[in-house]
Every structure is written in C-alpha cells, then in structure tokens.
Amino acid sequence: MVEAVGEGVTEPAVGDPVTTGPGIEMSAQGVYAERVVLPAAPVVPRPAGVDAVTGAAAWLTYTTAYGGLLETAGLRPGDRVLIIGASSGVGTAAIQVARRVGAVPLATTRTEAKRERLLELGAAEVIVTGESTAEAVAKEVRRLTGGSGAEVMFDAIGGPGFRPLAEGLAAGGSVVVYGWLDSSPAEIPRNWPFTIHTYANQALTSTPEGRRRSTAFVNAGLADGGFRPVVGEVLDGLDRIRDAHRLLESNTHVGKIVVRI
C-alpha cells in the first residue's frame, strides 16, 4: 500500500494497492522490509480485491509467461506448448496463460508428487521425467501430439537436455529460452525449420509500452479470477527469510514462496 509519494509523482497515489514490478536494483532497493522506498516506475497497480500475498506471487511470474509465450513465441489457440519445469512459479503461470488463450499446455515435472497439482492448474498432460532421458521426454511429446510435436517449447533450463527436448518440436515451431539453470553447453538439434528465441523479461517490462501491455494482461486475469497464482508456502515474519531460502533450494514446493511481514 502506498503511504507517501515524492514530488512530481502522480501515479501511483497515496492509498493505492500496488505490487513491485520491473527495474528494481536489488543491491540498493531490496524489498525485505516493512517499508521500502522505490522509484515510481517499478511500482504497478494491484487490482482491487487481490490480496497482498497473491499480488506478491503474481507479477514477475505472469509477465514472464505473457512476454515469453505471447509476445515472443506468438502462441495461438490450439498450439501445443511444452512447459519445461512446470512446477516453478513461472511454469505454473505459463499453464494458466496458455489456457487463457486457448492453447494446450503439456507440462514436465521431475516427481510424481507434483503431477496432480499441475493437472488441477490446467495442464492437458503431465510428463513426469524422474530418471527419464530428455530423448524419452521428446518421444512422449510426439506421442501425445499424434506424432507432429509441440508448436512451442518454453524452457528455463537449457544445458545438454536442450537438444533432445527441442527435437520434440513441430516443424516450424518455436523455442523460448527464458532461463539457463543448467549452464553446461547446449547443442542445437537438426529438426529444422524451427526458431530459437531468448527472452529476458526486463527487456519487455522496463519499457513503458511493454509494462502497460503486460500489466494490463496480468491484472485482467487476476481481476476475473482466471489467473490463480500458486503459492507453495507463506512464511510469517522477517525472521523466516532463511527458512524461505532453504525451502526454495529444496525444490520440494510448487509455485512461489511468500514471506508476509
């Protein structure tokens, strides 16, 4: 909630419910505090009726899914999209963004324990990778798509699994790489033609027009209930920050971890 604004600031206004968006310099403008001072640009509106926990879990995840899938890949109704690591905050948002535009989300997750939750969120199919090879996952994608492959792959991992997973693409499909959790070298497969995009969320959301479009899309989904940010756990108090980071590193949660002050 905005308590005060500086000289010349017209938006947001005192009393507005807000959330933090793009362009925060974490080394100088961190938000682990009861009160923070931020530039006006990274402070974006939070729809009426959307509580602070939901708002905290929504903006980054849904704008990344929006920018990567819609603005970058051009995801269309009926497209099959393979969402790698779908139990993450961005992954769960991507499932809902795909559903909102009439696309078909195919989700991957490493453990059977997360399958049902991803199906509840709207995944058409969930591929539990476990100890399976990336080649086996791509083969399953082709089976689920009647042999044609997925039109879009949404990947935050990269690394050696990139090549075999991308072999599950349909001809003329697109890959959006929005993260590189595995920094090992990745190879490009030869099932051409397809397009590889690299997506950096701040490149879209730090511009006034990009911020306007992405915020409008996310807030529309929050306001009408179409977007339901997944919160794996809410921890109360600044003294739980360490616990929050340990939980994040454990990779046992689904969705976002929120610390409430």
Side-chain angles (χ1 to χ4, degrees), residues 58-72 89-91 93-94 97 154-156 176-179 199-202 204-205 214 217-218 256:
W59 200 87
L60 179 62
T61 54
Y62 284 90
T63 56
T64 301
Y66 162 79
L69 293 176
L70 273 62
E71 295 230 357
T72 304
V90 174
V97 168
F154 194 50
D155 181 28
V176 177
V177 180
Y178 70 96
Y199 177 74
N201 196 46
Q202 191 165 337
L204 171 71
T205 58
S214 56
F217 182 82
V218 172
K256 300 292 283 184

Side-chain angles (χ1 to χ4, degrees), residues 7-128:
E7 184 179 351
V9 174
T10 57
E11 291 183 349
V14 173
D16 284 353
V18 294
T19 188
T20 53
I24 295 175
E25 175 47 59
M26 293 307 234
S27 62
Q29 299 164 340
V31 295
Y32 285 2
E34 293 178 354
R35 288 178 172 83
V36 297
V37 179
L38 296 171
V43 179
V44 296
R46 173 162 49 95
V50 175
D51 63 89
V53 169
T54 300
W59 200 87
L60 179 62
T61 54
Y62 284 90
T63 56
T64 301
Y66 162 79
L69 293 176
L70 273 62
E71 295 230 357
T72 304
L75 188 69
R76 301 163 299 185
D79 283 351
R80 282 75 56 91
V81 52
L82 177 63
I83 302 169
I84 308 298
S87 63
S88 69
V90 174
T92 55
I95 291 172
Q96 296 173 48
V97 168
R99 281 294 189 190
R100 191 169 182 88
V101 300
V104 181
L106 310 175
T108 77
T109 186
R110 285 189 290 183
T111 65
E112 185 68 36
K114 297 178 180 179
R115 177 199 289 271
E116 286 304 316
R117 186 71 180 105
L118 296 178
L119 290 171
E120 290 170 4
L121 287 169
E125 300 284 352
V126 176
I127 303 169
V128 178

